Amino acid sequence: MISRYFSQNQLKGLVKTGDVILPGTDTSPSFSDTGSICHIDRMAKFLSPDDLSGLQLLMGIFAFTPKWVITLVLKLCSQDRFLPGFPGAGLRMLEIGVKGAVFSPYYSNLTAPDYTGRKVHEIIGWNPKIFVKEAKDPQPVPVNRDNPSPEAVLQIYARARAVQPDIREWGLKKRLEFISSLKAVILKNRKYILDRVQEDTGKSRFDAITAEIFGVLDFLDYLEKNAAKYLSDRNVSTPFALMGKKSRVYFEPLGTALLISPWNYPFYQAIVPICQAFITGNAVVFKPSSATPLKGLVEELLDKAGFRPGWVQVVYGRGSDLGNALVDGKPDKIFFIGSQGVGKNIMARAARHLIPLELELGGKDPMVVFADVNIQRAAAGAIWGAFTTTGQSCTSVERLFVHQDIYETFKQVLVAETQKLTQATDKDGNTDIGAITTRTQVETIARQVADAKEKGATFLTNEDWNGESVFVPPMVVEGVTPDMLIHQEENFGPILPVYSFASEAEALALANDPEFGLSASVWSKDLVKAERVARQIYTGNVSINNVMLTEGNHALPFGGVQKSGFGRYKGEFGFYAFANIKAVLIDKDSKKMEANWFPYTREKYRLFDRLTAALYAPGRLLPLVKGAYWGLRLESCVAKLAKKGRQK
Amino acid sequence: MKQRDLSRVFDYVFVGAGISGPFIAKDLCAKGADCLMLEAGRQYTRKTYPDNGLDGTSQMYWAGGLELNHDSRIAFLRPKVVGGGSVVNQALVDRFDDDALDSWKQVSGISDFNTDAMAPWYEAAESEIEIQEIPSQFQNDNAKIFDRGFKKLGFKNAPLRRAQSNCRLEEGNCCIECLNGCRLGSKQSTPETVLKNALENGLTLVPETEVMQIKVLSGGDIRLSGLDGKGLQVNYKARNLVLSAGAIGNTRLLLNSGFGRKNSNIGKGFFCHPQYMSFGIYKEKINSHLGAFQAFKSDDQGFRKEGFKLENVYAGPESIALLVPGFGAAHHRYMEKLDHFACIEVCTRDITPGQIKVNRKGKALIRKMRNKEDLNRYQKGQKVIEDIFTSTGAKEIIHGRLGIGLHLMGCCALGTDPATSVVNPEFRLHSQANIFCADSSVFPNAPGINPSLTIMALSKKAAAQILRSVA
Ligand SMILES: Cc1cc2nc3c(=O)[nH]c(=O)nc-3n(C[C@H](O)[C@H](O)[C@H](O)COP(=O)(O)OP(=O)(O)OC[C@H]3O[C@@H](n4cnc5c(N)ncnc54)[C@H](O)[C@@H]3O)c2cc1C
């Protein structure tokens, strides 16, 4: 339960007090049994500010007060005959306030939605009836979010816009309570979530828990700890020439965000962008991939966490059917994760309405291994980087460059270790890799494999794959040449081409892809060299002596260059993806005129020129002193002009 | 309102859309006056009135339900909704008797306060609404206990007159539900009657706008500034102002706008007919909440002399829970027997004037003492209630823990003498001729009778005088 007016502690105090006043009997439920606390905001909203803050304070204290003490306080309150004057009035006020807060929802028959016990009104025999003849106002038709028509899409956006001010009003601190609550809900339901994710993706249990549960929880944890830091109003410096004024930055919501996610990490790519957009105060329209819709799961969890209806709307359907309508609904921001082709379409469509967007597209990520590495470790890294989630990560290792000095040894380890991988959609976490999620992707992989075989590439493992099973086995390939599809296209499957190189310069030339630039990894004992190479690779993320690990730290930004997309999400910079970063300059009201306002006069021009020359001359102290001198002269000239106006 | 309306100067602006405001506006609008009415509360329709106690009390009263007096012994219920008291009250309408009007005449110096001179205004008021008595076949068991007790003890009672048109009791409707606004449209609240008519005749009504300040401009026009539903400041201008925000509302506004400096009587003379509910618990089920939940009032000259009356009333469980003393399992036990409760209330005619002031934040502080005689009246009434319950077989009697103030009256008393009153016999402020007031705040003392019909009658009279002065 999240309240707009009470902190979690104060709610605890309120429930405890509620149970002192209404402990329940053999017939009646206790205050906490009914869950009527859920409705406390309906009342708190209308309390006078004084009464509300009094109640908040008291409940904050009662949260840490044993029940018998609360009982004693309430008993004392009722001794009104002996408590005249001010203290008596205060205690009676306390009693009425507290009892009112508890009795009102309880005896108004309000309960938690999942309360199944006997209702209070039934118990106390309260059953007045009223037979209203006129029909009630027609209930609004529920919005269809399952393959919605273009009109329904507009309704979805209308809903989002209608609730967005409410999200904004809750404020950052309160929104974080929803994040914490969601974190708890996900943790509690993780088994169920994993089952659902595996059902839709076919990935292995272990792949699922690391990325989809651990990753999500870690992100929410990061939000909890950092959102306030990055999204609170910020004071920034004001230059000397604007002395006396203040400069501030507000981070405000943009409005409604459209988020479109792919099928490779359907849960992670749902919760992370949703929460990133929500925490800044945006309403969300989220479209999962039609291949892995996890139907109803996100809504169910958000609902359990207390998110209000309409804050986050999940829309189901194929991108090809819905994409245009979703963009034409004119969200205030689009955030797309997926393929290059679809990214282009969305961007073109968004351009019609000038909707800002961020694209996280595919990659063809290189891994560069120098000769001085621990071969066992680097090979294990390559295998995990290439085959985790059966290669269906946008940051999978798709091109492995190994220094020629260790190439053969490295290759042997690589092949031997790859052959040991186990594959299934398991339930106990005892298997390495799972299935390819979509049939289309299996076909793409099959096409690339056939093409490579035809053009003479050597398959060092699993060359006998039939090209049909969704359990595409991990394949290490040698002898890949630039004319092969596997060299040019994103593979998004468990295929790992290995190349050798002779020098740092050659490695760089190979690693810098002409098209993509999402992530890369550089492996060497020599950290100076590794960082040198890292800087030279034109890409969005680099792991050194590790693989796909920038994503493991939610304080780091994520995003690509070139055709891998643009924009950054996660980390400090991610907070700005969904924010209207508003600049505010605060001056005082006064009689003072500004030097740069009209009228312009020759004398003012002369002084302004002197001020400019003085202020921006090299040096530290002298410019300030001179600047102050000319500034004062300019100011008195401005003051004179203000009084007398331009002298003809 | 649309942008262009912002510079509009209205003929009359009303603060408060309770009972008085709509009654006056109806007559002014009918004559073509350009009227604006600002109301802090929300506007509901029959279809949107809240259907539970929590929403009803928090949404339709100031401060989320209750305001307390200085010693927290009296809780005030102050309506905050389009229609004001007429939406949430019990709709009992009574004319004042000679005793009440005489005492007003004495205090105010206004000779028109007598039954004859008031009769046409009462008639005019009554012609705007339907008034009914509850037929005897629809008296519920709570009413019957009231009646039986009175008969046994030899006191006189009378059927209640309620402002209602068609409760369709034969269909099983329970009027207790209408305390959150009548969803049948039967209760003759101002939105169902005069306000509706005024709106048809061009009244501009702006709900959810709380007027915070009034200022008389140099030309004599009046500027009001307030806060709209979003908490944004809004300003309006009018040639005349009608204060119809009730005793506390008007006083708070006048004091916050500095009128206290011109007339020190503002805020003095606050009355509220403190009421005390008592419950008799019977072996059999009483089901006080069913059907027409009120049918009788006391009509005993003895009680009238002693300064109290008894009423056959009831309330929702969330309110009764507050009145039943104690907490914990024992409290539960009482509430579990709620359908065995009968209820009678003593309503006292208070003589000690209270006073309303505002603090630095502009909040109204209500100082309301009860002297020996006030308490005496209440105890005498309570004694009769005890006798009624006992004589009709109650097993146990509980007295409500709090006094309740529903009839909030006074603070801008009518009178001929500016030294002792605030509003003159023409219903204009002594200190400002284009500010009118004829609502509950002009009561010079506590009549000991349900106030709303008299508020309507005074409003009718005020409207007629305003129109005469214009013509
Ligand atoms: C539960 C209950 C039962 C009652 N039962 C009866 C009964 O049976 N018979 C009877 O005669 N009387 C009854 N009353 C009392 C009666 O309803 C009131 O006396 C009557 O409504 C007062 O009318 P009014 O026009 O003076 O003010 P109100 O009806 O109180 O209307 C004032 C309006 O002004 C608004 N307002 C206040 N300040 C501002 C501001 N600054 N800006 C904008 N708007 C503002 C308020 O929100 C309110 O809607 C009951 C009252 C309650 C609460």
Side-chain angles (χ1 to χ4, degrees), chain B residues 189-348:
Chain B
S189 60
T190 49
E192 291 287 347
T193 56
V194 285
L195 181 60
K196 192 152 114 194
N197 187 294
L199 288 167
E200 282 160 11
N201 283 323
L203 170 72
T204 306
L205 170 68
V206 186
E208 292 179 64
T209 296
E210 181 179 351
V211 179
M212 307 301 286
Q213 195 108 48
I214 51 184
K215 191 173 176 205
V216 181
L217 303 174
S218 51
D221 283 357
I222 290 170
R223 195 186 65 205
L224 294 89
S225 54
L227 298 176
D228 73 6
K230 293 198 187 90
L232 300 176
Q233 203 189 321
V234 285
N235 291 314
Y236 297 97
K237 240 193 251 176
R239 282 175 273 280
N240 300 283
L241 166 66
V242 181
L243 290 171
S244 48
I248 298 176
N250 290 344
T251 307
R252 187 176 150 230
L253 189 54
L254 288 172
L255 293 179
N256 282 337
S257 305
F259 283 73
R261 283 192 294 273
K262 293 182 216 156
N263 188 327
S264 61
N265 296 311
I266 296 172
K268 289 186 185 155
F270 173 68
F271 300 92
C272 65
H273 290 164
Q275 307 181 10
Y276 307 86
M277 278 187 172
S278 295
F279 305 97
I281 306 177
Y282 289 75
K283 205 167 142 246
E284 65 278 12
K285 281 193 181 176
I286 309 296
N287 284 326
S288 298
H289 58 287
L290 295 184
F293 75 112
Q294 312 180 267
F296 292 107
K297 63 176 174 184
S298 62
D299 189 23
D300 197 277
Q301 278 315 306
F303 294 177
R304 181 78 179 132
K305 282 210 192 75
E306 310 233 41
F308 69 88
K309 61 178 180 140
L310 299 189
E311 253 169 35
N312 159 216
V313 293
Y314 208 48
E318 68 290 335
S319 312
I320 295 177
L322 262 186
L323 294 174
V324 171
F327 59 92
H331 191 278
H332 268 302
R333 288 294 175 223
Y334 280 120
M335 294 301 289
E336 285 164 5
K337 281 181 295 204
L338 192 65
D339 44 5
H340 295 256
F341 277 37
C343 174
I344 300 175
E345 158 187 286
V346 48
C347 172
T348 57

Side-chain angles (χ1 to χ4, degrees), chain A residues 49-64:
Chain A
D50 289 351
D51 293 350
L52 179 61
S53 55
L55 195 58
Q56 287 166 334
L57 185 73
L58 190 66
M59 290 307 126
I61 297 170
F62 278 6
F64 302 99

Side-chain angles (χ1 to χ4, degrees), chain A residues 235-479:
Chain A
N235 291 321
V236 299
S237 67
T238 307
F240 180 73
L242 301 181
M243 210 156 71
K245 304 170 184 19
K246 283 191 207 106
S247 306
R248 214 159 275 170
V249 180
Y250 303 161
F251 297 86
E252 293 181 352
L254 286 167
T256 300
L258 166 63
L259 316 173
I260 304 177
S261 286
W263 40 262
N264 55 347
Y265 295 100
F267 191 65
Y268 182 89
Q269 303 290 33
I271 301 298
V272 170
I274 285 173
C275 291
Q276 185 89 69
F278 167 77
I279 197 62
T280 324
N282 298 283
V284 171
V285 173
F286 169 68
K287 194 196 92 60
S289 160
S290 56
T292 54
L294 300 178
K295 205 141 196 187
L297 178 68
V298 169
E299 298 95 308
E300 185 187 334
L301 298 172
L302 292 177
D303 183 60
K304 278 203 178 119
F307 279 63
R308 305 300 196 251
W311 284 5
V312 175
Q313 300 179 83
V314 186
V315 183
Y316 298 98
R318 295 171 59 88
S320 49
D321 299 335
L322 283 184
N324 284 349
L326 285 172
V327 176
D328 291 345
K330 302 200 189 103
D332 301 290
K333 174 96 189 198
I334 299 173
F335 182 79
F336 171 79
I337 310 175
S339 74
Q340 221 186 75
V342 180
K344 271 185 194 163
N345 287 343
I346 290 181
M347 190 163 165
R349 196 82 183 184
R352 291 190 185 183
H353 315 289
L354 286 176
I355 301 169
L357 77 170
E358 257 160 70
L359 302 177
E360 303 292 347
L361 310 175
K364 190 110 192 99
D365 293 353
M367 168 166 173
V368 179
V369 184
F370 287 100
D372 55 352
V373 299
N374 176 316
I375 293 178
Q376 287 296 336
R377 176 181 157 81
I383 291 171
W384 186 79
F387 304 135
T388 178
T389 317
T390 329
Q392 304 165 100
S393 303
C394 36
T395 53
S396 283
V397 175
E398 296 226 339
R399 296 176 300 140
L400 173 59
F401 303 105
V402 182
H403 194 273
Q404 59 188 22
D405 290 358
I406 55 163
Y407 183 80
E408 284 307 323
T409 336
F410 195 95
K411 188 174 83 185
Q412 274 166 25
V413 179
L414 196 65
V415 169
E417 292 302 318
T418 300
Q419 275 157 348
K420 289 184 199 157
L421 293 177
T422 54
Q423 189 167 22
T425 305
D426 61 322
K427 287 286 162 205
D428 60 357
N430 202 30
T431 309
D432 298 321
I433 61 178
I436 289 290
T437 298
T438 75
R439 181 48 62 186
T440 341
Q441 196 56 38
V442 176
E443 283 160 13
T444 308
I445 298 167
R447 186 165 46 77
Q448 292 176 353
V449 167
D451 170 78
K453 280 184 181 162
E454 195 189 299
K455 291 182 180 148
T458 318
F459 281 70
L460 303 176
T461 60
N462 295 308
E463 64 178 326
D464 50 350
W465 174 52
N466 63 9
E468 271 171 26
S469 161
V470 291
F471 287 101
V472 179
M475 293 173 243
V476 179
V477 194
E478 199 180 31

